[in-house]
């Protein structure tokens, strides 16, 4: 199973992304409006509450992200569109049982169906910028998409379709 | 020594500000909001008190009006039109539940107290709206901004703030004592105007912001203050309430302009908002408080209970576990700036004189007790209780995990 990232907006304060690890630990990354970041570990007994958290400055966050892997590229990408009203950048992980897996990107007809542009595909440490309809989709690919909130939700649903 | 009115004004205002500064520090030390202390200070020096201040009355009055405008302007700056719209779409049902559970008790109580339909409308607003200022401060102090129930809490606050954009014009129209038909027309105009501004802002907000230069602090400050006061004045002239005008200006500005404007306006907001709370205390006769204390306490207990229920249910709907539901409910309890603003509108319009001390007492009770109550969920006692109930119902807890 791919990693699921949950995104929650806290109006007037910032955005939080959560990841639940295989072992059941929830990790949250908060990005405040003023660019401060906070990495939080949630309580195992009470998964809604923070047990411990660390505040990071922008450069510190980048350093940690670099150490951890390719997430650095992703978080920077999602920040680019931070000031454009109504337009979001989101990284969508291709579900392992998606019917579009192993086929070309063009099969999804994402732009026609959802109005969302897929601007890049992140595969491991490699980035395929501006993928064409012929670009193949592989397991664990991360699609970087730009569109409206609704369009991105539609795209996520589209990608989640299985062969049956 | 030559004490003209002007020099006396400087001395009075200076002394008051100095006292408020000390009180602010004490409140901070205690993990409390400074609002109740500012209001209490006002009570000590206000009308009918031991030491009434006369020279600074007029200045503080003007200052308090600017305070309301700035409170609402900064609140509006914190939200973008898109955030408001998404909150509205996603959490409309929680917002309606919140309104029913918390505005109705106030309205019924107002009627029972014999304050008539106008008094009932005023009290409905006073009990309805939680204090976003106090709540966000408590959440920050307790390190709960990142908790999973926080977006639910905040979205309820956003809905309430937005609802005020409609409630305040309605209230202003009602309190001027128009006939039913007249009142209906005024309310329709007010609501239509607010809707119009919100829709225009939603679609053209970023274009409007371009009028200002985000990188020149001085002209930005003057420009944003100018527009806010101008719109507030015009709004007030057409009975839409100056506060709502300022709130709409804040929402209309977005992006870098809003971010920088918030930075330059915030210190001014702190100054004038403090004056606003002080002035409300000054206007209130402390002699009236003992009479209204028990009813205010009763209503406070009742509506803190209904807020607890609101938060609990809203968090449960968002898939939050039991401890998080309690945290949400307890966090939502304090009422604050809006309750005072609403009571202020009523006072200015000359509604029943008991309403101001009543609202002040009510708000002081909720705002002082709530930060203490919000900490209950961090106690060992609460955690142990939660764990005991969790082990007996592990399955249900797992079942309503995330989404």
């Amino acid at each position: 199973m791919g990693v699921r990232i949950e995104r929650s907006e806290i109006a007037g304060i910032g955005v939080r992304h959560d990841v639940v690890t295989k072992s059941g630990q929830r990790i949250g990354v908060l990005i405040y409006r003023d660019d401060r970041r906070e990495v939080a570990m949630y309580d195992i007994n009470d998964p809604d509450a923070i047990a411990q958290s660390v505040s990071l400055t922008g450069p510190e966050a980048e350093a940690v992200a670099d150490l951890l892997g390719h997430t650095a590229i992703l978080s920077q990408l999602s920040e680019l569109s931070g000031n454009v009203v109504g337009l979001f950048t989101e990284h969508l992980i291709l579900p392992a049982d998606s019917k579009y897996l192993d086929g070309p990107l063009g099969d999804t007809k994402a732009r026609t169906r959802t109005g969302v542009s897929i601007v890049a595909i992140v595969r491991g440490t490699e980035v395929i910028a501006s993928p064409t309809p012929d670009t193949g989709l592989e397991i664990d690919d991360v699609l970087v998409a730009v569109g409206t909130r609704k369009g991105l939700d539609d795209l996520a649903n589209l990608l989640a379709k299985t062969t049956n | 020594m030559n004490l003209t009115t002007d020099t006396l004004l400087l001395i009075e205002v200076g002394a008051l500000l100095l006292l408020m500064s000390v009180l602010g520090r004490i409140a901070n030390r205690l993990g409390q909001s400074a609002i109740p202390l500012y209001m209490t200070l006002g009570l000590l020096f206000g009308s009918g008190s031991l030491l009434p201040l006369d020279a600074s009355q007029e200045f503080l009055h003007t200052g308090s009006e600017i305070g309301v405008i700035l409170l609402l302007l900064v609140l509006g700056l914190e939200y973008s039109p898109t955030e408001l719209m998404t909150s509205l779409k996603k959490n409309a049902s929680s917002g309606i539940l919140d309104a029913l559970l918390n505005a109705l008790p106030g309205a019924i109580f107002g009627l029972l107290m014999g304050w008539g339909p106008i008094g009932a409308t005023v009290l409905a607003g006073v009990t309805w709206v939680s204090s976003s200022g106090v709540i966000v401060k408590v959440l920050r102090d307790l390190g709960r901004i990142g908790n999973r129930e926080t977006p639910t809490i905040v979205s309820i606050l956003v809905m309430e703030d937005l609802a005020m954009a409609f409630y305040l014009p309605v209230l202003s129209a009602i309190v001027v004592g128009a006939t039913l038909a007249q009142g209906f027309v005024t309310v329709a105009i007010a609501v239509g105007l607010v809707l119009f501004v919100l829709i225009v802002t939603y679609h053209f907000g970023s274009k409007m912001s371009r009028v200002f230069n985000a990188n020149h602090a001085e002209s930005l400050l003057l420009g944003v203050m100018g527009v806010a006061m101008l719109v507030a004045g015009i709004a007030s002239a057409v009975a839409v309430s100056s506060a709502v005008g300022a709130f709409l200006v804040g929402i209309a500005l977005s992006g870098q302009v809003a971010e920088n404007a918030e930075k330059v306006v915030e210190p001014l907001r702190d100054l004038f908002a403090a004056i606003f709370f002080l002035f409300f205390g000054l206007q209130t006769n402390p002699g009236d408080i003992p009479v209204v204390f028990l009813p205010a306490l009763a209503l406070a207990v009742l509506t803190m209970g209904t807020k607890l229920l609101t938060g609990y249910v809203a968090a449960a709907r968002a898939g939050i576990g039991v401890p998080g539901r309690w945290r949400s409910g307890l966090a939502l309890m304090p009422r604050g700036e809006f309750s005072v603003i609403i009571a202020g509108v009523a006072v200015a319009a000359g509604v029943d004189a008991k309403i101001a001390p009543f609202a002040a007492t009510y708000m002081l009770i909720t705002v002082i007790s709530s930060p203490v109550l919000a900490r209950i969920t961090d106690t060992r006692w609460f955690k142990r209780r939660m764990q005991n109930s969790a082990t007996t119902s592990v399955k249900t807890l797992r079942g309503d995990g995330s989404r």
Side-chain angles (χ1 to χ4, degrees), chain A residues 1-2 93-98 100-103 121-124 136-142:
Chain A
M1 246 187 52
I93 296 157
L94 193 62
D97 54 355
S98 169
Y100 301 109
L101 195 67
D102 297 327
I121 296 174
V122 183
R123 184 171 295 158
L137 292 176
E138 293 177 14
I139 195 155
D140 280 348
D141 272 359
V142 178

Side-chain angles (χ1 to χ4, degrees), chain B residues 87-151:
Chain B
S87 279
L88 200 61
K89 280 177 199 153
K90 269 168 59 183
N91 304 299
S93 58
S94 296
I96 291 167
L97 178 79
D98 177 41
L100 289 178
L101 278 178
N102 297 290
L104 280 183
I108 294 167
F109 204 85
L111 289 176
L112 288 180
M113 294 288 284
W115 287 337
I118 296 177
T121 315
V122 172
L123 276 197
V126 168
T127 54
W128 178 4
V129 192
S130 298
S131 165
S132 36
V134 172
I135 292 169
V136 171
K137 184 187 179 316
V138 169
L139 292 178
R140 263 184 219 282
D141 288 352
L142 299 179
R144 292 195 193 153
I145 298 289
N147 276 14
R148 294 187 66 237
E149 74 273 8
T150 300

Side-chain angles (χ1 to χ4, degrees), chain A residues 4 6-13 16 18 26 30 32-33 36 42 45-50 83 85-86, chain B residues 78-79 82-83 136 140 143 145-151 154 158 254 256 259 320-321 323 327 387 402-403:
Chain A
R4 203 173 99 220
E6 222 179 279
R7 178 194 162 95
S8 321
E9 288 195 32
I10 316 170
I13 298 173
R16 197 193 71 233
D18 289 6
R26 184 180 281 275
L30 266 104
Y32 289 92
R33 280 280 174 79
R36 260 179 326 118
Y42 289 82
N45 296 318
D46 175 10
D48 300 318
I50 291 180
N83 286 330
V85 175
Chain B
E78 281 172 11
Y79 302 136
T82 1
E83 275 176 345
V136 171
R140 263 184 219 282
I145 298 289
N147 276 14
R148 294 187 66 237
E149 74 273 8
T150 300
V154 173
V158 174
S254 58
Q256 199 62 43
E259 218 169 282
I320 303 295
R327 279 195 299 272
Q387 244 161 27
S402 52
R403 277 199 277 193

Side-chain angles (χ1 to χ4, degrees), chain B residues 231-276:
Chain B
V231 173
I234 295 171
S236 172
V238 295
V240 178
S241 130
S242 55
V244 172
F247 183 58
L248 293 175
V249 169
I251 292 173
L253 298 175
S254 58
Q256 199 62 43
V257 169
E259 218 169 282
N260 292 4
E262 206 181 324
K263 270 179 218 152
V264 293
V265 173
E266 233 163 26
L268 271 185
R269 192 265 323 252
D270 291 344
L271 173 65
F272 285 102
I275 291 179
F276 165 70

Side-chain angles (χ1 to χ4, degrees), chain A residues 76-115:
Chain A
Q76 276 166 11
L77 276 171
S78 57
E79 207 181 286
L80 278 179
S81 61
N83 286 330
V84 183
V85 175
L87 205 57
F88 296 88
T89 308
E90 197 167 50
H91 34 285
L92 296 152
I93 296 157
L94 193 62
D97 54 355
S98 169
K99 73 171 184 182
Y100 301 109
L101 195 67
D102 297 327
L105 176 63
D107 278 1
T108 60
K109 298 207 178 68
R111 196 186 300 233
T112 330
R113 285 174 174 164
T114 66

